[in-house]
Amino acid sequence: MRLHRLDITAFGPFGGAQSVDFDDLSAAGLFLLHGPTGAGKTSVLDAVCYALYGAVPGARQSGQGLTLRSDHAPPGTRTSVTLELTVAGRRLEITRQPPWERPKKRGSGTTLDKAQSSLREYDATTGAWKDLSRSHQEIGEEITQLLGMSREQFCQVVLLPQGDFARFLRADAEARGRLLGRLFDTHRFAEVEKRLAERRRAAEAEVREGDAVLLADAHRMQQAAGDAMELPELTPGEPGLAEAVLSAAAVARSTAREELAVAHCRLAAAESAQAAAERALAGVRETARLQRRFAEARERARALEERADGHRAAQARMERARKAEAVAPALELRDAAEAEHRRASAARAHTRGLLPAGFADDGAAGLAAAARRAAEELGGLDSARRAERRLAELAEERAGLDRQERADEDILQEAETWLAGWDAARAGLQARIDSAQEAATRAEQLAVQREPAAGRLRAARLRDQLAGDTDTAADRARRARDETLAAKAHWLEVKERRLNGIAAELAAQLTDGEPCAVCGATEHPAPARKDAGHVDREAEETALAAFQAAEERQTERERRLGVVREALAAATAEAGDTPTSVLADEVAELERLFAEARRAASALHPAHEELRRAEQEHERRVTACRQAEVRTAARVGHRDRLDRERDALEAVLTEARGALDSVAARAAELEHRVGLLTDAADSARAAEDSAQRLKDADARLADAAFRAGFETPEAAADALLDATAHRELQRRLDAWQSEEAAVRAVLAEADTTAAAQRPPADLAVAEQAAAEAGRRLRDAASARDAAERRCAELDRLSVRSTQGARRLAPLRAQYDRVARLAALTAGTSADNERKMRLESYVLAARLEQVAAAATVRLRRMSSGRYTLVHSDDRAGRGRSGLGLHVVDAWTGRERDTATLSGGETFFASLALALGLADVVTDEAGGVRLDTLFIDEGFGSLDDQTLDEVLDVLDSLRERDRSVGIVSHVADLRRRIHAQLEVVKSRSGSTLRQRGAG
């Protein structure tokens, strides 16, 4: 993979459009990406990663989407990243645009545009770009397949974070395992361990579950068998459980079958005894029943003899009632005619009492003629009644006109009073609107002044604070420079003293007969001796470490001083020399004036609303006055028409009323008279008709009574029975006959008569004997049923236990195999000597490859001194497999990587990162990585080591690679000519590029 060009717009700290030509930078093999802290060096690498994977590296990926947009970008500029690269022989162009909250094209506010991506490929035959995809998912899958690396792997092998590898060197085996697992994607081996552990737990659960079921069946068999079955103390999972259960079950089944045979014999004997007892009880019960039946029949016969006279009287009464039934219709007809005559006579007397004295002797015909005459007179009053109703309507209409006139006068008076003060009220409301409008304009002007004044006040306060911080930082930087000079002087002094006594160190290693490492002689006549002030290599290294630590502290404090001075200059430029108290008073005064103007301006809308309502009320009042005047003019003519019609109707009604007050009273009087006369004529006619019908009914009744054999109609009426009495008498006669027949039938039965001649039956003794036989039968049947259930339950449980034991055998064998394999992969088995997990074993092989690849560069960086080696030894109580040691050629000893100094840790971690990049690249399918980035750490190297590290990086050009170094170390700017500088300013960062030439 080789990068060609990167275009950035409104991304991170870059407010505008920036471009990076990687072809120009990579021409020299090494190029430097530098700039002040916070300028945006890492954002350039973030843009590369975002273009490829749609996400930024590491912890910075938590704030993506809208947060990738630069705060310095203009509102109308969209965030965009375009990367042109060559990978797998294909030249591609990737463009990504995160979600964008842009201003709306119409109206105010913003709207959210979705993220967009595009992938294009350069066609060398046509010399043009062709579109491949605009899908986020398709582009991500395509890039991942071409690179062969995930985003995490890419960030480790292309964007080399030295701090991570420094921690990797000092980390324990578990932390190294997590990093290597992400890079080499060994989670599948961990998944194998997990799956085996799960299968072991599942198989163990199945075995325990099967044993638990088998043991539960054994306890059920023991409950069914009682004391005939004994079980040893066993728990699920113990060997021999199935055999013990099956053996005990066989003994229990044999005992239960013997008990069942005995219970069958006892039940047969009890059944025979119970049948005999039941037959004897049935005979005794039948004899007792017949004896009771005969005694009851004799008692009922004596009762019938005692009631014989009453029965004969009832028969005679029933005979007279049957004869009287022939006279009943005539009696009913005569009673109805008599009742009707009484009602008609009473009605006639009542209606005649309501008539005047002149009609007391008139018959039905005379009363009917008088009613017709009164009805004819009533019919002549219809037109007069209509005229009377119209006169009432005219009076109501005239009263309504008077009410309308009074209402219109009130409306006119109220409207004229209100309209008299309209001009003054309107002028007052307009004055309020003008005052509020002026206050709103004043508030807008003050709002423009508030933010700059507040900004100057904040800058002034920051300026005052940073003035003290600058003095403190300058004092600390000065002390750090003094400490660095002292430490350097001490180190040079120690180094000079060691060089002066180096001969003594070499002489201490001479042995007679062995050649000298300097001159080659085998004889050593006068070897040098160490004097009292001799300095060894450890003391020199201690002094050098102290000097390097002091130099790092000096660099950090000088950087801090520069940051504080830059901030102080920026704050002074914004606030000027005006004292903070003066600026605070100005801001307070602006805030007070702004608040007053806002309060006054808040009355603008209410004043407008009040004026609008007042104008609407004015229009309504004027319209009401006009409408009232029109209605007043129309009422004059209407009132005259009503008066003329009223005079005409009064003349007609005076004649029709006569002596009464109204036509309605005259009509009511006639209606009442017609009703009385009509009722009197009807009641007189009905009374005459009912008297004739009563006379005819008396004649028919006398004839019917004579033919039925009664002397008088009253005797026939006394002999009649109503329906209830007739039914009761008939029921008594029928009951007598039924009872007499039943008694004769019982006394005629032969078996009943024979049973009465035998001695009384003893039912209690027979029932007691039958109950005792039944109890013995039930006990025997219960014992037989219990024995059968016990045998059936033992057989069923025994069969189920046998089947369960057969199913459990292969499960137990499978569990043993899985458990051994899971323990081996988890590192807990005795067969795993180093207690190494499967994933750790795979990672150990990868770590061994990484250590071998890193050693090639580490030896060159350290002048052949250091070698990285992988170790399988266990660390403390932990598991082995991921140990990493460094071999020091000067001492020949192997030690932990955590003992390396700061500079040594840097070039060791750099060598490790480069080696890891080679191994991961091979693991990813051999994708060639032609562009690498190394982030920071060069400030910890001395000049000689820095040259050696740069030589190693420069040697990468032999493989046609280019390496970008991200650092703000000043010395690198002199050593590396191809540079990409990030320039920081208040309006956002920009990029300046300088090629190798």
Side-chain angles (χ1 to χ4, degrees):
M1 180 200 74
R2 177 177 292 277
L3 305 181
H4 298 294
R5 187 177 185 84
L6 176 67
D7 294 324
I8 306 173
T9 303
F11 182 87
F14 304 103
Q18 304 294 323
S19 181
V20 180
D21 187 352
F22 285 110
D23 288 336
D24 183 40
L25 290 174
S26 302
L30 282 177
F31 63 90
L32 177 66
L33 174 58
H34 68 93
T37 301
K41 299 186 296 296
T42 307
S43 296
V44 176
L45 308 183
D46 290 347
V48 173
C49 185
Y50 179 72
L52 292 172
Y53 293 96
V56 296
R60 297 188 297 277
Q61 63 182 302
S62 60
Q64 295 193 28
L66 296 176
T67 59
L68 292 177
R69 178 173 175 79
S70 175
D71 295 334
H72 304 285
T77 302
R78 179 160 192 175
T79 302
S80 176
V81 176
T82 300
L83 178 65
E84 184 180 340
L85 74 160
T86 297
V87 58
R90 300 169 62 185
R91 186 152 183 159
L92 304 175
E93 180 189 80
I94 309 170
T95 300
R96 292 190 186 271
Q97 295 176 341
W100 180 37
E101 191 171 336
R102 63 169 176 81
K104 292 183 177 179
K105 296 180 179 179
R106 295 182 179 177
S108 59
T110 60
T111 184
L112 183 65
D113 283 352
K114 296 182 180 179
Q116 297 183 6
S117 300
S118 66
L119 177 63
R120 300 196 304 170
E121 182 176 5
Y122 181 75
D123 190 347
T125 58
T126 61
W129 293 89
K130 63 177 181 179
D131 293 331
L132 296 182
S133 177
R134 291 186 177 275
S135 168
H136 303 293
Q137 183 176 1
E138 289 180 359
I139 294 174
E141 293 176 355
E142 181 72 14
I143 295 302
T144 302
Q145 290 179 0
L146 290 175
L147 293 177
M149 290 179 286
S150 64
R151 178 172 57 84
E152 290 78 7
Q153 291 175 318
F154 178 83
C155 294
Q156 290 288 345
V157 302
V158 178
L159 312 177
L160 302 179
Q162 294 307 300
D164 289 352
F165 283 97
R167 287 189 293 272
F168 181 82
L169 283 173
R170 298 186 175 93
D172 55 11
E174 184 177 357
R176 288 192 184 117
R178 286 196 297 268
L179 175 61
L180 293 174
R182 290 196 305 270
L183 293 178
F184 292 106
D185 191 21
T186 58
H187 68 277
R188 59 187 183 278
F189 299 103
E191 190 66 23
V192 170
E193 299 176 23
K194 180 180 177 181
R195 291 292 298 277
L196 285 173
E198 292 176 352
R199 289 186 61 185
R200 179 189 61 78
R201 289 191 295 270
E204 182 180 6
E206 289 181 356
V207 171
R208 287 184 176 275
E209 182 179 359
D211 283 350
V213 171
L214 191 62
L215 192 58
D217 288 341
H219 286 296
R220 294 189 185 97
M221 287 189 287
Q222 187 178 32
Q223 292 175 358
D227 298 333
M229 180 176 179
E230 294 183 359
L231 286 177
E233 293 295 333
L234 297 173
T235 58
E238 290 188 25
L241 177 65
E243 292 77 4
V245 169
L246 296 178
S247 176
V251 175
R253 288 200 310 276
S254 177
T255 303
R257 289 192 181 95
E258 294 176 359
E259 294 176 354
L260 178 60
V262 174
H264 273 297
C265 294
R266 291 176 179 174
L267 177 61
E271 286 176 347
S272 299
Q274 195 268 345
E278 287 292 334
R279 287 193 297 274
L281 177 61
V284 172
R285 283 176 176 170
E286 181 62 17
T287 301
R289 184 184 69 82
L290 293 174
Q291 292 175 348
R292 287 195 305 273
R293 181 177 175 83
F294 184 81
E296 291 172 356
R298 293 291 299 273
E299 184 65 25
R300 289 161 63 188
R302 284 194 298 272
L304 287 175
E305 291 177 359
E306 293 175 356
R307 289 186 284 121
D309 294 340
H311 174 64
R312 287 189 291 273
Q315 285 179 331
R317 181 75 177 89
M318 178 61 72
E319 184 64 24
R320 286 178 59 81
R322 290 194 182 97
K323 293 179 180 180
E325 287 177 356
V327 187
L331 284 171
E332 293 176 357
L333 183 60
R334 195 266 178 192
D335 292 339
E338 184 179 8
E340 182 182 0
H341 179 63
R342 284 197 300 271
R343 289 194 298 273
S345 298
R348 180 179 59 185
H350 174 71
T351 56
R352 283 186 180 276
L354 298 177
L355 292 175
F359 297 98
D361 298 331
D362 291 347
L367 293 174
R372 285 194 297 273
R373 289 192 298 271
E376 291 174 357
E377 185 180 357
L378 177 63
L381 294 178
D382 288 341
S383 61
R385 282 188 289 189
R386 288 195 298 271
E388 191 175 39
R389 288 195 297 271
R390 176 57 183 163
L391 185 61
E393 293 175 357
L394 290 175
E396 180 63 27
E397 192 171 353
R398 178 64 183 270
L401 290 177
D402 294 339
R403 288 193 299 272
Q404 291 178 5
E405 185 174 6
R406 289 192 297 272
D408 287 342
E409 289 176 355
D410 294 340
I411 291 173
L412 288 171
Q413 183 179 359
E414 182 183 359
E416 290 173 356
T417 302
W418 190 89
L419 292 172
W422 162 245
D423 294 335
R426 189 178 188 283
L429 291 174
Q430 188 62 46
R432 286 174 54 191
I433 291 174
D434 296 340
S435 176
Q437 185 64 52
E438 293 175 0
T441 304
R442 188 165 60 256
E444 292 178 357
Q445 295 172 352
L446 291 172
V448 175
Q449 302 174 17
R450 287 172 64 235
E451 183 58 31
R456 288 195 300 273
L457 177 59
R458 290 193 297 269
R461 289 172 176 167
L462 181 61
R463 176 197 63 196
D464 296 344
Q465 178 183 351
L466 292 176
D469 294 346
T470 302
D471 296 338
T472 302
D475 184 59
R476 291 179 177 176
R478 184 168 52 255
R479 289 199 302 271
R481 284 195 296 273
D482 295 342
E483 292 173 358
T484 301
L485 292 175
K488 185 175 183 180
H490 176 66
W491 169 57
L492 293 175
E493 179 185 358
V494 172
K495 184 175 183 180
E496 184 178 0
R497 288 168 58 191
R498 181 169 179 252
L499 292 175
N500 292 335
I502 194 67
E505 286 189 22
L506 295 175
Q509 302 176 3
L510 295 177
T511 303
D512 291 339
E514 295 184 2
C516 176
V518 178
C519 62
T522 57
E523 295 181 359
H524 318 293
R529 297 288 186 268
K530 295 182 180 179
D531 56 17
H534 179 72
V535 177
D536 57 8
R537 181 175 58 83
E538 184 176 357
E540 180 187 357
E541 290 180 352
T542 301
L544 176 59
F547 164 61
Q548 291 174 342
E551 193 174 28
E552 290 178 358
R553 287 194 299 273
Q554 176 187 347
T555 302
E556 176 60 25
R557 291 181 180 180
E558 287 179 348
R559 185 193 63 78
R560 174 60 182 165
L561 177 60
V563 170
V564 173
R565 284 175 175 172
E566 287 180 5
L568 177 60
T572 304
E574 183 175 357
D577 298 331
T578 305
T580 304
S581 59
V582 175
L583 293 175
D585 293 340
E586 292 178 356
V587 170
E589 180 64 18
L590 282 174
E591 292 293 338
R592 184 185 65 78
L593 294 175
F594 177 71
E596 291 178 355
R598 284 286 299 274
R599 285 194 299 272
S602 63
L604 179 60
H605 180 70
H608 273 297
E609 288 296 316
E610 190 172 352
L611 177 59
R612 181 183 60 79
R613 290 193 297 270
E615 289 176 345
Q616 292 176 350
E617 181 65 17
H618 175 266
E619 182 66 24
R620 188 183 66 80
R621 298 274 184 170
V622 171
T623 302
C625 287
R626 293 172 183 168
Q627 294 174 351
E629 292 172 353
V630 171
R631 288 193 299 271
T632 300
R635 277 194 300 271
V636 176
H638 192 191
R639 187 181 290 109
D640 293 341
R641 289 191 300 273
L642 293 178
D643 292 341
R644 289 193 298 271
E645 186 179 359
R646 181 190 61 190
D647 295 341
L649 292 175
E650 286 288 350
V652 173
L653 292 175
T654 300
E655 180 180 358
R657 284 194 295 265
L660 297 178
D661 295 336
S662 64
V663 176
R666 176 62 178 162
E669 180 185 16
L670 291 174
E671 287 177 356
H672 181 66
R673 182 182 298 176
V674 169
L676 291 177
L677 291 172
T678 302
D679 292 342
D682 293 340
S683 61
R685 192 181 298 110
E688 294 172 356
D689 295 340
S690 63
Q692 182 61 37
R693 285 193 293 274
L694 177 60
K695 183 178 179 180
D696 295 340
D698 286 337
R700 285 194 295 270
L701 176 61
D703 183 63
F706 177 75
R707 286 196 300 269
F710 293 98
E711 296 179 357
T712 62
E714 289 76 9
D718 293 338
L720 278 175
L721 292 175
D722 58 14
T724 303
H726 186 277
R727 284 195 302 272
E728 178 61 23
L729 183 59
Q730 186 65 46
R731 185 191 63 78
R732 287 165 53 193
L733 293 174
D734 293 342
W736 174 275
Q737 292 176 357
S738 298
E739 180 69 7
E740 184 182 21
V743 168
R744 284 198 302 269
V746 171
L747 294 177
E749 292 176 354
D751 54 349
T752 303
T753 305
Q757 296 175 359
R758 291 196 292 270
D762 193 351
L763 185 60
V765 174
E767 289 178 346
Q768 183 178 2
E772 181 64 23
R775 184 188 62 78
R776 289 194 294 271
L777 176 62
R778 288 193 298 273
D779 293 342
S782 299
R784 191 276 314 273
D785 293 341
E788 286 182 346
R789 288 195 300 272
R790 185 159 50 249
C791 288
E793 183 68 8
L794 288 173
D795 291 341
R796 183 182 66 83
L797 292 175
S798 178
V799 171
R800 193 166 74 176
S801 299
T802 303
Q803 295 174 350
R806 291 173 181 173
R807 288 194 304 269
L808 195 58
L811 289 178
R812 188 180 297 278
Q814 180 183 2
Y815 165 69
D816 293 339
R817 291 194 301 272
V818 172
R820 288 196 301 271
L821 188 57
L824 184 64
T825 57
T828 58
S829 173
D831 298 332
N832 193 332
E833 297 178 357
R834 295 186 177 276
K835 305 300 180 184
M836 186 183 297
R837 294 171 45 237
L838 177 62
E839 185 182 15
S840 299
Y841 177 77
V842 176
L843 292 177
R846 293 289 187 267
L847 183 60
E848 189 173 1
Q849 295 174 354
V850 172
T855 296
V856 176
R857 295 183 177 88
L858 179 60
R859 284 181 176 176
R860 185 171 178 181
M861 292 181 188
S862 63
S863 301
R865 179 178 178 182
Y866 293 119
T867 301
L868 282 176
V869 294
H870 163 253
S871 173
D872 283 336
D873 295 337
R874 297 179 63 183
R877 299 180 61 184
R879 296 175 182 173
S880 59
L882 296 177
L884 192 63
H885 293 169
V886 61
V887 178
D888 190 344
W890 288 6
T891 62
R893 298 176 62 184
E894 181 178 320
R895 54 192 174 98
D896 193 89
T897 54
T899 62
L900 295 173
S901 64
E904 293 169 342
T905 299
F906 168 71
F907 59 70
S909 63
L910 176 59
L912 186 65
L914 294 174
L916 183 62
D918 292 340
V919 175
V920 173
T921 300
D922 296 337
E923 177 74 12
V927 176
R928 182 179 177 84
L929 302 177
D930 297 322
T931 305
L932 300 176
F933 293 92
I934 301 174
D935 191 2
E936 283 300 346
F938 292 89
S940 61
L941 303 180
D942 56 37
D943 293 343
Q944 180 180 354
T945 306
L946 182 59
D947 289 337
E948 293 172 347
V949 171
L950 291 179
D951 288 342
V952 172
L953 295 177
D954 192 53
S955 67
L956 294 176
R957 287 186 300 175
E958 299 173 1
R959 300 175 62 182
D960 197 20
R961 283 183 174 179
S962 61
V963 179
I965 298 175
V966 183
S967 177
H968 52 65
V969 176
D971 192 36
L972 290 176
R973 302 177 195 173
R974 297 189 299 271
R975 296 171 181 259
I976 302 175
H977 300 289
Q979 298 179 8
L980 179 62
E981 181 181 3
V982 184
V983 182
K984 180 172 66 173
S985 67
R986 294 176 59 83
S987 60
S989 298
T990 57
L991 296 175
R992 286 202 300 235
Q993 181 172 331
R994 186 176 69 182

